[in-house]
Amino acid sequence: MKSVRVGLMGLGTVGGGTATVLLRNAEDISRRVGRSIEVVRAAAREISEQTIFSADSNVKLSDDAWDVVNDENVDVVVELIGGYSPARELVLKAIENGKHVVTANKALIAMHGDEIFAAANAKGVSVCYEAAVAGGIPIIKAMREGLTANKIEWLAGIINGTGNFILTEMRDKGRDFADVLAEAQALGYAEADPTFDVEGIDAAHKLTILASIAFSIPLQFDKTFTEGISKITTEDVTYAEELGYRIKHLGVARRTDKGIEMRVHPTLIPEKRLIANVDGVMNAVLVQGDAVGPTLYYGAGAGAEPTASAVVADIIDVARTFESATDNKVTSLGYQTGQEAHIDVLSSDDFVTANYLRLSVDDRPGVLADVANIFAEQGISIEAVIQKEPEHEGDKVSLILLTQKVQEKKMNAALAKVESTNISDSVTRIRVEQLD
Ligand code: HSE
């Protein structure tokens, strides 16, 4: 029986992992598919340095990815280059050439997914992207298929391994931000541009995709609110712990009466929640469905073989359709073409969350009353207060406040007044989620 012929674009961390897993597990995979899966073509920028395929293998190597999408012997193109362009052009060309596509590229799907899925639909080929979100966790399959009976109410995820690795090392070992980031890069966790990890862009790409599946809405990356972790200090980590919380970089998508919140930001989570204890490069996604209740998915969010696990699963899914008499009716985002829900995505002014605030104030009587008055003007209730002793007389003191849930617009107005009246030059604000 003919094998399913794969063309790989990109032989970096994930490309290397994909080739390794396909070769190592070839026997099990062909038992599951009913055919063998064979890499026939591979492209990488530095082809002379590649060591994955031995010199005597049948894999044709090239330093030009266009050779892969235009190779008539390739059935499935696997895009592991990353970034928006030329990934978009290559994928669209592969589809035009009648090839199925598997990609780990979250930026590509979040930005251009609707265009790519429409092209694939018109051509009758599949585009699969399980590895684009949460590395090895099969969250796309879980949401698009396993939870498809549910109305999804909200989801919250730690969906960037690099960011979680940094926060964990800072908390557990007091390590320096830049030092941990360098290690994440060396381990192959970080994006080509690591600001995508630390500023939340990578997580926003992933959240955009999850929200689209959860709420049957088109992909709207430009409407996802994004705040990174680069301003989190070890002080905040310590104060959060004193209050019984952990700081995690969370992606949250929530259905509200007014519309959908899509937001990525550092978040205080009660330490007793399972998701607050997801550490290192591990990812987790908590999904609340109306029928099933809360479900939690956990696993490695980055790295060569965990991500390859998802890439190869997608190749297998595509390969199985070669053997199947029926069409695969699970659409790319889970809803049928033309059946998208028309629900507004809310602007950040309309988000409603509780907040952790750290102010740096003069050590004088009445300062807390001044802050409380400003908050009262906006109808903001304070839930807890911690005031730290100054190290030396005359030093500013840290004032830590936890607020109850409040509309973001009101919180912003209060913080602007605290800053403009010089009660505190700047305020650190971290949103709080109970996730119960
Ligand atoms: N840079 C990403 C992360 C890789 O750290 O999660 C996996 O998408």
Side-chain angles (χ1 to χ4, degrees):
M1 192 173 290
K2 265 181 71 182
S3 61
V4 175
R5 299 161 306 175
V6 170
L8 288 181
M9 301 193 292
L11 289 175
T13 304
V14 181
T18 300
T20 304
V21 172
L22 277 172
L23 289 172
R24 191 177 66 222
N25 297 342
E27 200 180 315
D28 282 320
I29 289 171
S30 54
R31 194 170 292 124
R32 289 167 189 156
V33 175
R35 299 185 188 206
S36 60
I37 294 178
E38 195 189 348
V39 179
V40 295
R41 200 21 124 170
R45 236 177 327 193
E46 300 295 336
I47 209 68
S48 55
E49 289 172 17
Q50 82 79 29
T51 53
I52 299 145
F53 300 108
S54 62
D56 58 356
S57 82
N58 294 325
V59 183
K60 279 204 220 161
L61 297 172
S62 159
D63 58 8
D64 186 356
W66 290 97
D67 291 343
V68 177
V69 299
N70 289 321
D71 186 334
E72 58 184 23
N73 290 317
V74 168
D75 304 307
V76 185
V77 168
V78 179
E79 185 276 305
L80 303 171
I81 299 173
Y84 302 120
S85 183
R88 171 179 165 271
E89 294 76 12
L90 286 162
V91 163
L92 287 171
K93 186 65 182 172
I95 292 168
E96 189 187 316
N97 289 344
K99 299 181 191 313
H100 301 281
V101 174
V102 170
T103 178
N105 189 336
K106 49 268 162 149
L108 177 73
I109 297 298
M111 284 292 278
H112 303 297
D114 289 326
E115 177 192 16
I116 288 168
F117 299 145
N121 208 17
K123 196 75 188 178
V125 295
S126 305
V127 174
C128 304
Y129 56 91
E130 182 64 71
V133 182
I137 307 174
I139 186 66
I140 303 296
K141 200 177 260 290
M143 288 189 54
R144 212 169 47 182
E145 299 176 42
L147 298 180
T148 194
N150 287 263
K151 183 164 192 154
I152 303 298
E153 293 163 356
W154 55 265
L155 64 89
I158 295 170
I159 45 181
N160 181 268
T162 303
N164 203 40
F165 181 65
I166 293 172
L167 288 177
T168 305
E169 292 287 303
M170 281 173 73
R171 188 194 73 220
D172 289 354
K173 302 182 187 153
R175 286 180 65 191
D176 179 60
F177 189 101
D179 173 40
V180 190
L181 175 58
E183 189 182 344
Q185 288 177 285
L187 290 167
Y189 300 157
E191 296 302 297
D193 176 353
T195 57
F196 273 43
D197 296 292
V198 297
E199 296 307 339
I201 299 158
D202 176 76
H205 286 142
K206 294 165 178 167
L207 186 77
T208 301
I209 298 170
L210 291 178
S212 185
I213 298 171
F215 307 122
S216 298
I217 55 172
L219 295 154
Q220 295 165 81
F221 171 68
D222 56 334
K223 294 188 183 159
T224 301
F225 172 85
T226 307
E227 195 179 288
I229 56 168
S230 53
K231 296 197 180 77
I232 301 290
T233 64
T234 41
E235 256 185 307
D236 293 315
V237 173
T238 308
Y239 295 152
E241 297 222 331
E242 281 181 33
L243 291 160
Y245 290 85
R246 293 266 168 91
I247 300 179
K248 292 291 176 188
H249 200 195
L250 215 61
V252 179
R254 188 188 300 275
R255 191 194 291 273
T256 76
D257 293 344
K258 292 187 181 154
I260 287 168
E261 292 181 357
M262 297 203 296
R263 47 191 168 88
V264 171
H265 47 70
T267 311
L268 266 72
I269 308 172
E271 66 191 358
K272 60 186 178 212
R273 300 272 179 268
L274 278 175
I275 197 168
N277 294 281
V278 170
D279 287 335
V281 74
M282 303 309 273
N283 280 194
V285 185
L286 182 55
V287 185
Q288 174 80 23
D290 67 335
V292 71
T295 57
L296 180 64
Y297 308 85
Y298 170 83
E305 292 209 11
T307 313
S309 166
V311 171
V312 175
D314 273 350
I315 299 172
I316 291 172
D317 262 3
V318 171
R320 279 176 171 148
T321 65
F322 289 30
E323 285 298 305
S324 150
T326 56
D327 286 345
N328 183 358
K329 293 278 194 268
V330 183
T331 57
S332 298
L333 292 172
Y335 60 88
Q336 298 297 322
T337 308
Q339 297 290 316
E340 68 271 24
H342 298 283
I343 316 174
D344 288 341
V345 175
L346 298 178
S347 90
S348 60
D349 273 354
D350 291 320
F351 297 166
V352 177
T353 66
N355 297 274
Y356 157 102
L357 307 169
R358 176 166 54 82
L359 289 69
S360 179
V361 298
D362 288 332
D363 187 20
R364 63 167 170 82
V367 72
L368 184 56
D370 292 346
V371 175
N373 283 337
I374 292 174
F375 283 18
E377 283 167 20
Q378 296 293 337
I380 300 169
S381 299
I382 297 171
E383 188 153 304
V385 181
I386 306 179
Q387 183 171 335
K388 296 286 161 188
E389 289 300 314
E391 268 188 39
H392 310 101
E393 205 173 315
D395 279 0
K396 296 256 187 192
V397 293
S398 287
L399 185 63
I400 320 298
L401 304 169
L402 276 188
T403 74
Q404 292 192 344
K405 279 190 183 177
V406 54
Q407 194 187 17
E408 189 110 346
K409 190 164 44 183
K410 294 184 178 169
M411 192 75 251
N412 287 342
L415 295 185
K417 187 151 180 194
V418 167
E419 287 175 357
S420 68
T421 51
N422 293 327
I423 294 175
S424 178
D425 299 343
S426 69
V427 180
T428 296
R429 178 253 295 268
I430 308 177
R431 294 165 188 84
V432 180
E433 290 286 345
Q434 295 300 326
L435 301 182
D436 51 3

